[in-house]
Amino acid sequence: GAGHAYVQPVSGVVANLAMYTARTRPGDTMMCLSIPCGGHISMGKEGMGGTAGAVHGLTIEYWPFDEKRMNIDVDAAVKKLREVKPKLALFGGSVFLFPHPVRELADVAREVGAYVGYDAAHVSGLIAGGQFQHPLREGVDIMTCSTHKTLPGPQHGMILCRRELAEAVNRAVFPGVVSNHHLHSMAALAVALAEMMEFGREYAAQIVKNARALGRAMYERGLDVLCPDLGFTSSHTVVVSVTKYGDGGEIEKKLESANIILNRNLLPWDIREGRNYKRPGGIRLGTSEVTRIGMKEREMEEIAEFIKRVVIDGESTQRIAQEVSEFRKDYQKLHYCFDSAAEAYEYIALKKF
């Protein structure tokens, strides 16, 4: 649904900064998610060193948030849009369990003079694979993303937008925020995009199946997985409250010592309950990488069991680390990709001509 795509941003943060540069001026107001509710640091206020506030000088207002459903509160958001009248209404974020209500809010944003943006850094591969919402078809003007999460390419960035915004976006990137677009990553990005065209639907579908299966498996083992009544997630991400067993920083380190890599994560209520980003109440898990190496729902049961043994049972992380390494030995091949660079470039050439 994009009229224009631009691949020169060198990261998702740079893509966001270019979006701010193209459509806002310092002192304008942007509405977005707060960081505890899933927003990215590139959306942050000046006082926290966020890109939007500290670098571009935007005034930040937050979307009203439904903590139970882990999503933007539509009715409250309509009211706040009309009160605040932002220049940019930004959807998307870093904790992104369910599609955001773009279709419900885009027209209201335009009524008050706002452009509509969408940070798809975490879900761009799911969007490309037809397993998430379609932001540009639902009313988004500009969509930014990184290219190394659910879109499994090199560390880079990308912007997609309506055709009439192409010139402003291009100039915001160069000469605005990029002088060298890291040409060495372009071939890898081309291959990753070709692989998404060929294998993306199957890959994205399995990512979401695995995330739901992992959420359910952890929940059945006694972990406090968020949003059980909504199926835990509609994306690649699962979020767990771990305050019964410690804090997210402590649990993150324990699991890392057991060869299970995930990250601590703020929960929407953490700040008011006295927690902080170093010692938050949650952990965040994603299934894009384990899916890429061939794991499916059955393996999510095994992963959940490893996590339960560390977090709930308090078993020796050294012993579990050995078991995890043994488990991982059976998954050494990448899936949903071309077998060789030559095959990838041949595919690109065929699509081009």
Side-chain angles (χ1 to χ4, degrees):
H4 177 68
Y6 205 54
V7 298
Q8 289 193 7
V10 296
S11 70
V13 170
V14 170
N16 276 354
L17 182 55
M19 172 176 58
Y20 305 153
T21 302
R23 293 293 89 189
T24 68
R25 296 291 177 267
D28 286 344
T29 297
M30 179 176 81
M31 190 175 292
C32 60
L33 287 179
S34 71
I35 291 175
C37 292
H40 188 257
I41 189 61
S42 62
M43 305 171 186
K45 294 182 176 182
E46 181 180 7
M48 62 181 62
T51 309
V55 178
H56 194 61
L58 294 177
T59 298
I60 305 301
E61 294 283 347
Y62 296 136
W63 290 115
F65 198 74
D66 183 334
E67 295 177 0
K68 182 175 174 56
R69 301 181 65 83
M70 288 295 287
N71 212 330
I72 295 166
D73 182 324
V74 173
D75 291 340
V78 168
K79 182 178 179 181
K80 190 166 185 178
L81 279 168
R82 288 175 173 152
E83 290 175 352
V84 171
K85 295 180 172 59
K87 187 67 174 180
L88 178 63
L90 182 60
F91 297 92
S94 287
V95 178
F96 208 171
L97 302 183
F98 304 102
H100 281 173
V102 174
R103 196 182 302 276
E104 295 88 337
L105 294 172
D107 287 344
V108 180
R110 287 199 180 84
E111 283 176 17
V112 300
Y115 287 93
V116 181
Y118 189 104
D119 182 341
H122 280 262
V123 295
S124 57
L126 303 183
I127 293 168
Q131 295 299 315
F132 211 62
Q133 65 191 125
H134 295 281
L136 291 160
R137 297 176 189 171
E138 295 177 17
V140 164
D141 299 307
I142 303 178
M143 185 176 88
T144 64
C145 66
S146 54
T147 58
H148 54 272
K149 296 185 175 79
T150 54
L151 199 167
Q155 291 188 315
H156 204 72
M158 190 160 55
I159 303 177
L160 300 97
C161 65
R162 292 190 285 111
R163 189 177 302 278
E164 56 266 35
L165 300 178
E167 183 177 354
V169 166
N170 291 0
R171 286 188 57 79
V173 175
F174 177 82
V177 297
V178 169
S179 62
N180 183 318
H181 60 274
H182 296 183
L183 191 60
H184 60 277
S185 64
M186 289 294 99
L189 179 57
V191 170
L193 293 173
E195 288 178 343
M196 286 303 297
M197 292 172 68
E198 182 68 8
F199 310 106
R201 286 192 172 274
E202 183 184 0
Y203 176 47
Q206 191 61 52
I207 288 173
V208 176
K209 289 177 185 176
N210 282 351
R212 289 173 174 160
L214 180 60
R216 181 177 62 252
M218 290 191 294
Y219 183 76
E220 290 172 349
R221 286 163 173 79
L223 288 157
D224 187 9
V225 186
L226 301 193
C227 300
D229 55 328
L230 298 175
F232 306 104
T233 185
S234 293
S235 72
H236 62 303
T237 305
V238 180
V239 178
V240 184
S241 173
V242 295
T243 53
K244 294 177 184 176
Y245 313 103
D247 62 68
E250 177 187 358
I251 299 301
E252 175 189 52
K253 289 179 180 177
K254 282 185 179 179
L255 288 165
E256 183 178 358
S257 69
N259 284 339
I260 301 169
I261 308 301
L262 44 73
N263 70 273
R264 65 185 186 271
N265 212 95
L266 282 168
L267 302 177
W269 47 88
D270 274 348
I271 301 300
R272 68 172 180 265
E273 293 184 1
R275 303 186 190 96
N276 57 59
Y277 75 96
K278 291 184 177 180
R279 302 177 70 88
I283 55 174
R284 179 183 65 170
L285 305 86
T287 57
S288 51
E289 289 301 313
V290 293
T291 304
R292 182 85 157 154
I293 57 175
M295 294 188 187
K296 295 191 175 180
E297 291 91 331
R298 179 180 65 81
E299 288 81 3
M300 299 306 104
E301 295 280 345
E302 297 186 60
I303 292 171
E305 183 65 21
F306 286 135
I307 293 171
K308 179 252 187 185
R309 288 169 59 192
V310 173
V311 176
I312 297 178
D313 299 341
E315 288 191 33
S316 164
T317 57
Q318 185 176 5
R319 180 170 65 249
I320 293 174
Q322 293 173 345
E323 293 182 32
V324 170
S325 294
E326 191 64 30
F327 168 71
R328 177 67 169 78
K329 286 180 181 178
D330 292 333
Y331 303 94
Q332 299 295 319
K333 182 181 183 297
L334 289 179
H335 295 250
Y336 312 104
C337 60
F338 298 112
D339 290 330
S340 69
E343 186 180 354
Y345 293 133
E346 181 181 359
Y347 178 91
I348 294 168
L350 288 172
K351 286 292 183 181
K352 181 178 180 180
F353 296 108

